[in-house]
mmCIF file of all heavy atoms in Angstrom:
data_model
loop_
_atom_site.group_PDB
_atom_site.id
_atom_site.type_symbol
_atom_site.label_atom_id
_atom_site.label_comp_id
_atom_site.label_asym_id
_atom_site.label_seq_id
_atom_site.Cartn_x
_atom_site.Cartn_y
_atom_site.Cartn_z
ATOM 1 N N ALA A 73 0.882 -1.176 -0.002
ATOM 2 C CA ALA A 73 -0.016 0.000 -0.011
ATOM 3 C C ALA A 73 0.917 1.213 -0.009
ATOM 4 O O ALA A 73 1.577 1.486 0.981
ATOM 5 C CB ALA A 73 -0.940 -0.007 1.207
ATOM 6 N N GLY A 74 0.980 1.909 -1.114
ATOM 7 C CA GLY A 74 1.850 3.083 -1.247
ATOM 8 C C GLY A 74 1.134 4.393 -1.077
ATOM 9 O O GLY A 74 -0.083 4.475 -1.337
ATOM 10 N N ARG A 75 1.884 5.430 -0.665
ATOM 11 C CA ARG A 75 1.278 6.720 -0.496
ATOM 12 C C ARG A 75 0.623 7.255 -1.785
ATOM 13 O O ARG A 75 -0.435 7.825 -1.779
ATOM 14 C CB ARG A 75 2.369 7.730 -0.043
ATOM 15 C CG ARG A 75 1.768 9.091 0.263
ATOM 16 C CD ARG A 75 2.784 10.177 0.160
ATOM 17 N NE ARG A 75 3.089 10.425 -1.198
ATOM 18 C CZ ARG A 75 3.931 11.348 -1.653
ATOM 19 N NH1 ARG A 75 4.566 12.118 -0.826
ATOM 20 N NH2 ARG A 75 4.142 11.503 -2.950
ATOM 21 N N THR A 76 1.260 6.994 -2.923
ATOM 22 C CA THR A 76 0.783 7.541 -4.209
ATOM 23 C C THR A 76 -0.177 6.563 -4.901
ATOM 24 O O THR A 76 -1.250 6.923 -5.298
ATOM 25 C CB THR A 76 1.940 7.879 -5.135
ATOM 26 O OG1 THR A 76 2.831 8.759 -4.462
ATOM 27 C CG2 THR A 76 1.480 8.510 -6.433
ATOM 28 N N SER A 77 0.253 5.298 -5.028
ATOM 29 C CA SER A 77 -0.524 4.370 -5.826
ATOM 30 C C SER A 77 -1.534 3.537 -5.030
ATOM 31 O O SER A 77 -2.320 2.815 -5.642
ATOM 32 C CB SER A 77 0.393 3.429 -6.613
ATOM 33 O OG SER A 77 1.170 2.652 -5.687
ATOM 34 N N GLY A 78 -1.478 3.620 -3.701
ATOM 35 C CA GLY A 78 -2.427 2.851 -2.895
ATOM 36 C C GLY A 78 -2.080 1.373 -2.895
ATOM 37 O O GLY A 78 -0.925 0.977 -3.054
ATOM 38 N N LYS A 79 -3.102 0.535 -2.718
ATOM 39 C CA LYS A 79 -2.931 -0.903 -2.646
ATOM 40 C C LYS A 79 -2.792 -1.474 -4.051
ATOM 41 O O LYS A 79 -3.693 -1.357 -4.877
ATOM 42 C CB LYS A 79 -4.142 -1.526 -1.942
ATOM 43 C CG LYS A 79 -4.102 -3.025 -1.770
ATOM 44 C CD LYS A 79 -5.321 -3.488 -1.011
ATOM 45 C CE LYS A 79 -5.490 -4.966 -1.010
ATOM 46 N NZ LYS A 79 -6.728 -5.366 -0.319
ATOM 47 N N THR A 80 -1.679 -2.117 -4.334
ATOM 48 C CA THR A 80 -1.442 -2.740 -5.634
ATOM 49 C C THR A 80 -0.688 -4.083 -5.432
ATOM 50 O O THR A 80 -0.072 -4.276 -4.374
ATOM 51 C CB THR A 80 -0.579 -1.836 -6.551
ATOM 52 O OG1 THR A 80 0.620 -1.478 -5.901
ATOM 53 C CG2 THR A 80 -1.324 -0.557 -6.928
ATOM 54 N N THR A 81 -0.751 -4.910 -6.423
ATOM 55 C CA THR A 81 -0.116 -6.177 -6.382
ATOM 56 C C THR A 81 0.838 -6.385 -7.538
ATOM 57 O O THR A 81 0.756 -5.690 -8.564
ATOM 58 C CB THR A 81 -1.165 -7.349 -6.424
ATOM 59 O OG1 THR A 81 -1.886 -7.240 -7.635
ATOM 60 C CG2 THR A 81 -2.098 -7.297 -5.250
ATOM 61 N N SER A 82 1.747 -7.318 -7.405
ATOM 62 C CA SER A 82 2.734 -7.607 -8.463
ATOM 63 C C SER A 82 3.292 -9.016 -8.277
ATOM 64 O O SER A 82 2.769 -9.805 -7.479
ATOM 65 C CB SER A 82 3.879 -6.584 -8.400
ATOM 66 O OG SER A 82 4.743 -6.730 -9.501
ATOM 67 N N GLU A 83 4.323 -9.268 -9.033
ATOM 68 C CA GLU A 83 5.053 -10.552 -8.965
ATOM 69 C C GLU A 83 6.556 -10.285 -8.992
ATOM 70 O O GLU A 83 7.027 -9.434 -9.720
ATOM 71 C CB GLU A 83 4.687 -11.412 -10.148
ATOM 72 C CG GLU A 83 5.306 -12.751 -10.176
ATOM 73 C CD GLU A 83 4.881 -13.573 -11.385
ATOM 74 O OE1 GLU A 83 3.815 -13.306 -11.985
ATOM 75 O OE2 GLU A 83 5.642 -14.492 -11.756
ATOM 76 N N ILE A 84 7.286 -11.013 -8.171
ATOM 77 C CA ILE A 84 8.751 -10.888 -8.108
ATOM 78 C C ILE A 84 9.347 -11.549 -9.351
ATOM 79 O O ILE A 84 9.068 -12.680 -9.710
ATOM 80 C CB ILE A 84 9.334 -11.524 -6.838
ATOM 81 C CG1 ILE A 84 8.829 -10.771 -5.589
ATOM 82 C CG2 ILE A 84 10.873 -11.573 -6.895
ATOM 83 C CD1 ILE A 84 9.276 -11.345 -4.281
ATOM 84 N N ILE A 85 10.198 -10.758 -9.999
ATOM 85 C CA ILE A 85 10.902 -11.187 -11.267
ATOM 86 C C ILE A 85 12.300 -11.692 -10.948
ATOM 87 O O ILE A 85 12.791 -12.629 -11.537
ATOM 88 C CB ILE A 85 11.017 -10.007 -12.271
ATOM 89 C CG1 ILE A 85 9.632 -9.469 -12.634
ATOM 90 C CG2 ILE A 85 11.780 -10.448 -13.502
ATOM 91 C CD1 ILE A 85 9.694 -8.126 -13.389
ATOM 92 N N ASP A 86 12.961 -11.001 -9.992
ATOM 93 C CA ASP A 86 14.393 -11.306 -9.683
ATOM 94 C C ASP A 86 14.655 -11.045 -8.202
ATOM 95 O O ASP A 86 14.122 -10.056 -7.660
ATOM 96 C CB ASP A 86 15.284 -10.466 -10.601
ATOM 97 C CG ASP A 86 16.756 -10.899 -10.602
ATOM 98 O OD1 ASP A 86 17.122 -11.794 -9.787
ATOM 99 O OD2 ASP A 86 17.530 -10.366 -11.392
ATOM 100 N N VAL A 87 15.494 -11.824 -7.594
ATOM 101 C CA VAL A 87 15.877 -11.575 -6.203
ATOM 102 C C VAL A 87 17.383 -11.263 -6.066
ATOM 103 O O VAL A 87 17.881 -11.117 -4.968
ATOM 104 C CB VAL A 87 15.501 -12.768 -5.278
ATOM 105 C CG1 VAL A 87 13.978 -12.922 -5.204
ATOM 106 C CG2 VAL A 87 16.150 -14.071 -5.768
ATOM 107 N N ASN A 88 18.078 -11.155 -7.209
ATOM 108 C CA ASN A 88 19.505 -10.796 -7.209
ATOM 109 C C ASN A 88 19.748 -9.645 -8.131
ATOM 110 O O ASN A 88 20.766 -9.613 -8.835
ATOM 111 C CB ASN A 88 20.345 -12.044 -7.628
ATOM 112 C CG ASN A 88 20.245 -13.149 -6.625
ATOM 113 O OD1 ASN A 88 20.498 -12.964 -5.445
ATOM 114 N ND2 ASN A 88 19.813 -14.303 -7.087
ATOM 115 N N PHE A 89 18.826 -8.707 -8.151
ATOM 116 C CA PHE A 89 18.856 -7.606 -9.118
ATOM 117 C C PHE A 89 19.876 -6.543 -8.652
ATOM 118 O O PHE A 89 19.960 -6.189 -7.484
ATOM 119 C CB PHE A 89 17.464 -6.973 -9.201
ATOM 120 C CG PHE A 89 17.323 -5.885 -10.231
ATOM 121 C CD1 PHE A 89 17.434 -6.171 -11.566
ATOM 122 C CD2 PHE A 89 17.079 -4.586 -9.849
ATOM 123 C CE1 PHE A 89 17.309 -5.199 -12.552
ATOM 124 C CE2 PHE A 89 16.942 -3.572 -10.801
ATOM 125 C CZ PHE A 89 17.042 -3.899 -12.138
ATOM 126 N N HIS A 90 20.721 -6.070 -9.589
ATOM 127 C CA HIS A 90 21.675 -5.023 -9.358
ATOM 128 C C HIS A 90 21.211 -3.749 -10.072
ATOM 129 O O HIS A 90 20.789 -3.823 -11.243
ATOM 130 C CB HIS A 90 23.055 -5.420 -9.875
ATOM 131 C CG HIS A 90 23.754 -6.445 -9.019
ATOM 132 N ND1 HIS A 90 23.123 -7.582 -8.577
ATOM 133 C CD2 HIS A 90 25.005 -6.524 -8.599
ATOM 134 C CE1 HIS A 90 23.976 -8.318 -7.893
ATOM 135 N NE2 HIS A 90 25.131 -7.691 -7.884
ATOM 136 N N ILE A 91 21.284 -2.630 -9.373
ATOM 137 C CA ILE A 91 20.798 -1.375 -9.956
ATOM 138 C C ILE A 91 21.689 -0.212 -9.501
ATOM 139 O O ILE A 91 22.194 -0.208 -8.389
ATOM 140 C CB ILE A 91 19.318 -1.095 -9.557
ATOM 141 C CG1 ILE A 91 18.768 0.131 -10.267
ATOM 142 C CG2 ILE A 91 19.158 -1.006 -8.041
ATOM 143 C CD1 ILE A 91 17.294 0.332 -10.083
ATOM 144 N N LYS A 92 21.924 0.744 -10.419
ATOM 145 C CA LYS A 92 22.623 1.989 -10.106
ATOM 146 C C LYS A 92 21.627 3.114 -10.194
ATOM 147 O O LYS A 92 20.877 3.195 -11.152
ATOM 148 C CB LYS A 92 23.747 2.223 -11.130
ATOM 149 C CG LYS A 92 25.043 1.533 -10.828
ATOM 150 C CD LYS A 92 26.135 2.028 -11.733
ATOM 151 C CE LYS A 92 27.355 1.143 -11.595
ATOM 152 N NZ LYS A 92 28.469 1.554 -12.456
ATOM 153 N N LEU A 93 21.666 3.965 -9.173
ATOM 154 C CA LEU A 93 20.755 5.135 -9.134
ATOM 155 C C LEU A 93 21.578 6.394 -8.937
ATOM 156 O O LEU A 93 22.599 6.391 -8.283
ATOM 157 C CB LEU A 93 19.746 4.989 -7.966
ATOM 158 C CG LEU A 93 18.853 3.762 -8.013
ATOM 159 C CD1 LEU A 93 18.090 3.619 -6.733
ATOM 160 C CD2 LEU A 93 17.903 3.854 -9.210
ATOM 161 N N ASP A 94 21.114 7.471 -9.539
ATOM 162 C CA ASP A 94 21.780 8.776 -9.415
ATOM 163 C C ASP A 94 21.197 9.503 -8.215
ATOM 164 O O ASP A 94 20.027 9.859 -8.233
ATOM 165 C CB ASP A 94 21.581 9.596 -10.672
ATOM 166 C CG ASP A 94 22.341 10.918 -10.618
ATOM 167 O OD1 ASP A 94 22.972 11.236 -9.593
ATOM 168 O OD2 ASP A 94 22.343 11.619 -11.648
ATOM 169 N N TYR A 95 21.991 9.724 -7.168
ATOM 170 C CA TYR A 95 21.556 10.420 -5.965
ATOM 171 C C TYR A 95 22.061 11.846 -5.946
ATOM 172 O O TYR A 95 22.395 12.374 -4.888
ATOM 173 C CB TYR A 95 22.025 9.671 -4.718
ATOM 174 C CG TYR A 95 21.100 8.502 -4.373
ATOM 175 C CD1 TYR A 95 21.181 7.308 -5.051
ATOM 176 C CD2 TYR A 95 20.187 8.631 -3.325
ATOM 177 C CE1 TYR A 95 20.370 6.247 -4.731
ATOM 178 C CE2 TYR A 95 19.383 7.567 -2.991
ATOM 179 C CZ TYR A 95 19.447 6.373 -3.688
ATOM 180 O OH TYR A 95 18.614 5.316 -3.363
ATOM 181 N N GLY A 96 22.150 12.481 -7.069
ATOM 182 C CA GLY A 96 22.520 13.882 -7.180
ATOM 183 C C GLY A 96 23.916 14.162 -6.683
ATOM 184 O O GLY A 96 24.891 13.614 -7.214
ATOM 185 N N ILE A 97 24.039 14.956 -5.624
ATOM 186 C CA ILE A 97 25.324 15.368 -5.087
ATOM 187 C C ILE A 97 26.201 14.154 -4.628
ATOM 188 O O ILE A 97 27.419 14.227 -4.677
ATOM 189 C CB ILE A 97 25.178 16.409 -3.962
ATOM 190 C CG1 ILE A 97 26.485 17.089 -3.676
ATOM 191 C CG2 ILE A 97 24.596 15.788 -2.712
ATOM 192 C CD1 ILE A 97 26.359 18.357 -2.858
ATOM 193 N N ILE A 98 25.538 13.109 -4.199
ATOM 194 C CA ILE A 98 26.296 11.885 -3.755
ATOM 195 C C ILE A 98 26.860 11.175 -4.963
ATOM 196 O O ILE A 98 27.918 10.547 -4.884
ATOM 197 C CB ILE A 98 25.369 10.959 -2.951
ATOM 198 C CG1 ILE A 98 24.918 11.642 -1.673
ATOM 199 C CG2 ILE A 98 26.052 9.626 -2.643
ATOM 200 C CD1 ILE A 98 23.870 10.898 -0.918
ATOM 201 N N GLY A 99 26.171 11.226 -6.076
ATOM 202 C CA GLY A 99 26.595 10.548 -7.309
ATOM 203 C C GLY A 99 25.856 9.257 -7.514
ATOM 204 O O GLY A 99 24.793 9.028 -6.964
ATOM 205 N N GLU A 100 26.432 8.377 -8.313
ATOM 206 C CA GLU A 100 25.822 7.077 -8.563
ATOM 207 C C GLU A 100 26.023 6.139 -7.420
ATOM 208 O O GLU A 100 27.100 6.021 -6.858
ATOM 209 C CB GLU A 100 26.420 6.454 -9.833
ATOM 210 C CG GLU A 100 25.842 7.038 -11.118
ATOM 211 C CD GLU A 100 26.167 6.148 -12.319
ATOM 212 O OE1 GLU A 100 27.222 5.452 -12.326
ATOM 213 O OE2 GLU A 100 25.314 6.164 -13.245
ATOM 214 N N VAL A 101 24.908 5.468 -7.013
ATOM 215 C CA VAL A 101 24.955 4.526 -5.951
ATOM 216 C C VAL A 101 24.508 3.209 -6.487
ATOM 217 O O VAL A 101 23.424 3.061 -7.074
ATOM 218 C CB VAL A 101 24.022 4.981 -4.789
ATOM 219 C CG1 VAL A 101 24.014 3.951 -3.673
ATOM 220 C CG2 VAL A 101 24.463 6.379 -4.238
ATOM 221 N N GLY A 102 25.349 2.185 -6.306
ATOM 222 C CA GLY A 102 25.019 0.836 -6.793
ATOM 223 C C GLY A 102 24.490 -0.032 -5.702
ATOM 224 O O GLY A 102 25.045 -0.091 -4.580
ATOM 225 N N PHE A 103 23.415 -0.739 -5.953
ATOM 226 C CA PHE A 103 22.779 -1.645 -5.010
ATOM 227 C C PHE A 103 22.835 -3.071 -5.580
ATOM 228 O O PHE A 103 22.490 -3.273 -6.756
ATOM 229 C CB PHE A 103 21.334 -1.272 -4.739
ATOM 230 C CG PHE A 103 21.209 0.050 -4.051
ATOM 231 C CD1 PHE A 103 21.092 1.216 -4.762
ATOM 232 C CD2 PHE A 103 21.174 0.119 -2.655
ATOM 233 C CE1 PHE A 103 20.971 2.454 -4.125
ATOM 234 C CE2 PHE A 103 21.067 1.346 -2.005
ATOM 235 C CZ PHE A 103 20.931 2.494 -2.752
ATOM 236 N N ALA A 104 23.246 -4.028 -4.761
ATOM 237 C CA ALA A 104 23.324 -5.456 -5.178
ATOM 238 C C ALA A 104 22.247 -6.273 -4.497
ATOM 239 O O ALA A 104 21.818 -5.980 -3.383
ATOM 240 C CB ALA A 104 24.721 -5.985 -4.816
ATOM 241 N N ASN A 105 21.887 -7.327 -5.215
ATOM 242 C CA ASN A 105 20.967 -8.344 -4.662
ATOM 243 C C ASN A 105 19.660 -7.773 -4.154
ATOM 244 O O ASN A 105 19.201 -8.073 -3.048
ATOM 245 C CB ASN A 105 21.700 -9.171 -3.568
ATOM 246 C CG ASN A 105 22.921 -9.820 -4.156
ATOM 247 O OD1 ASN A 105 22.863 -10.437 -5.216
ATOM 248 N ND2 ASN A 105 24.030 -9.686 -3.460
ATOM 249 N N GLN A 106 19.057 -6.949 -4.962
ATOM 250 C CA GLN A 106 17.754 -6.353 -4.643
ATOM 251 C C GLN A 106 16.599 -7.206 -5.220
ATOM 252 O O GLN A 106 16.813 -8.104 -6.013
ATOM 253 C CB GLN A 106 17.681 -4.939 -5.177
ATOM 254 C CG GLN A 106 18.779 -4.036 -4.683
ATOM 255 C CD GLN A 106 18.788 -3.889 -3.155
ATOM 256 O OE1 GLN A 106 17.842 -3.369 -2.585
ATOM 257 N NE2 GLN A 106 19.853 -4.374 -2.537
ATOM 258 N N ILE A 107 15.384 -6.884 -4.805
ATOM 259 C CA ILE A 107 14.210 -7.576 -5.253
ATOM 260 C C ILE A 107 13.555 -6.724 -6.378
ATOM 261 O O ILE A 107 13.213 -5.577 -6.161
ATOM 262 C CB ILE A 107 13.191 -7.745 -4.129
ATOM 263 C CG1 ILE A 107 13.808 -8.551 -2.970
ATOM 264 C CG2 ILE A 107 11.893 -8.424 -4.659
ATOM 265 C CD1 ILE A 107 13.000 -8.495 -1.685
ATOM 266 N N LEU A 108 13.392 -7.310 -7.559
ATOM 267 C CA LEU A 108 12.755 -6.629 -8.682
ATOM 268 C C LEU A 108 11.421 -7.244 -8.935
ATOM 269 O O LEU A 108 11.274 -8.457 -9.074
ATOM 270 C CB LEU A 108 13.619 -6.763 -9.955
ATOM 271 C CG LEU A 108 12.987 -6.143 -11.223
ATOM 272 C CD1 LEU A 108 12.870 -4.637 -11.107
ATOM 273 C CD2 LEU A 108 13.847 -6.545 -12.440
ATOM 274 N N CYS A 109 10.383 -6.384 -8.923
ATOM 275 C CA CYS A 109 9.007 -6.808 -9.215
ATOM 276 C C CYS A 109 8.525 -6.149 -10.520
ATOM 277 O O CYS A 109 9.044 -5.108 -10.907
ATOM 278 C CB CYS A 109 8.079 -6.368 -8.087
ATOM 279 S SG CYS A 109 8.436 -7.114 -6.494
ATOM 280 N N LYS A 110 7.520 -6.758 -11.121
ATOM 281 C CA LYS A 110 6.828 -6.079 -12.215
ATOM 282 C C LYS A 110 6.338 -4.731 -11.668
ATOM 283 O O LYS A 110 5.960 -4.654 -10.474
ATOM 284 C CB LYS A 110 5.678 -6.919 -12.737
ATOM 285 C CG LYS A 110 6.094 -8.202 -13.375
ATOM 286 C CD LYS A 110 4.896 -9.031 -13.783
ATOM 287 C CE LYS A 110 5.321 -10.343 -14.407
ATOM 288 N NZ LYS A 110 4.149 -11.206 -14.738
ATOM 289 N N GLN A 111 6.368 -3.697 -12.507
ATOM 290 C CA GLN A 111 6.005 -2.340 -12.074
ATOM 291 C C GLN A 111 4.676 -2.338 -11.320
ATOM 292 O O GLN A 111 3.649 -2.792 -11.853
ATOM 293 C CB GLN A 111 5.901 -1.444 -13.308
ATOM 294 C CG GLN A 111 5.404 -0.056 -13.046
ATOM 295 C CD GLN A 111 6.468 0.819 -12.388
ATOM 296 O OE1 GLN A 111 7.575 0.887 -12.842
ATOM 297 N NE2 GLN A 111 6.083 1.464 -11.306
ATOM 298 N N PHE A 112 4.700 -1.843 -10.074
ATOM 299 C CA PHE A 112 3.500 -1.672 -9.302
ATOM 300 C C PHE A 112 3.521 -0.520 -8.310
ATOM 301 O O PHE A 112 2.714 -0.409 -7.409
ATOM 302 C CB PHE A 112 3.036 -2.973 -8.614
ATOM 303 C CG PHE A 112 3.799 -3.364 -7.361
ATOM 304 C CD1 PHE A 112 3.107 -3.774 -6.223
ATOM 305 C CD2 PHE A 112 5.192 -3.421 -7.323
ATOM 306 C CE1 PHE A 112 3.794 -4.176 -5.104
ATOM 307 C CE2 PHE A 112 5.861 -3.805 -6.192
ATOM 308 C CZ PHE A 112 5.166 -4.208 -5.046
ATOM 309 N N THR A 113 4.473 0.365 -8.545
ATOM 310 C CA THR A 113 4.650 1.516 -7.683
ATOM 311 C C THR A 113 4.751 2.779 -8.516
ATOM 312 O O THR A 113 4.980 2.746 -9.717
ATOM 313 C CB THR A 113 5.944 1.390 -6.862
ATOM 314 O OG1 THR A 113 7.056 1.234 -7.737
ATOM 315 C CG2 THR A 113 5.865 0.198 -5.893
ATOM 316 N N GLN A 114 4.632 3.910 -7.818
ATOM 317 C CA GLN A 114 4.749 5.214 -8.450
ATOM 318 C C GLN A 114 5.662 6.094 -7.566
ATOM 319 O O GLN A 114 5.920 5.758 -6.390
ATOM 320 C CB GLN A 114 3.417 5.882 -8.608
ATOM 321 C CG GLN A 114 2.469 5.179 -9.564
ATOM 322 C CD GLN A 114 1.094 5.842 -9.612
ATOM 323 O OE1 GLN A 114 0.916 6.989 -9.212
ATOM 324 N NE2 GLN A 114 0.123 5.130 -10.082
ATOM 325 N N GLU A 115 6.084 7.221 -8.115
ATOM 326 C CA GLU A 115 6.877 8.169 -7.331
ATOM 327 C C GLU A 115 6.100 8.517 -6.077
ATOM 328 O O GLU A 115 4.903 8.800 -6.152
ATOM 329 C CB GLU A 115 7.156 9.415 -8.148
ATOM 330 C CG GLU A 115 8.166 10.341 -7.529
ATOM 331 C CD GLU A 115 8.544 11.490 -8.457
ATOM 332 O OE1 GLU A 115 8.731 11.250 -9.659
ATOM 333 O OE2 GLU A 115 8.686 12.613 -7.935
#
């Protein structure tokens, strides 16, 4: 249940997902072994 999208459901695609995100002044931050689901969230 998200603040923006409310109650939504999905399915897990990957449990070892690696992602890099741009955190502005901090720069790129890499995360390992994350959970990736089919899109079910919003900003």
Side-chain angles (χ1 to χ4, degrees):
R75 185 203 73 178
T76 305
S77 63
K79 180 179 170 182
T80 56
T81 60
S82 186
E83 181 179 338
I84 295 177
I85 302 168
D86 192 352
V87 294
N88 296 305
F89 186 66
H90 287 45
I91 185 172
K92 277 188 189 180
L93 300 171
D94 184 356
Y95 278 78
I97 196 165
I98 296 171
E100 281 195 330
V101 177
F103 294 89
N105 301 313
Q106 302 300 296
I107 301 166
L108 176 65
C109 297
K110 294 177 182 176
Q111 175 74 50
F112 76 133
T113 58
Q114 295 176 18
E115 189 173 320

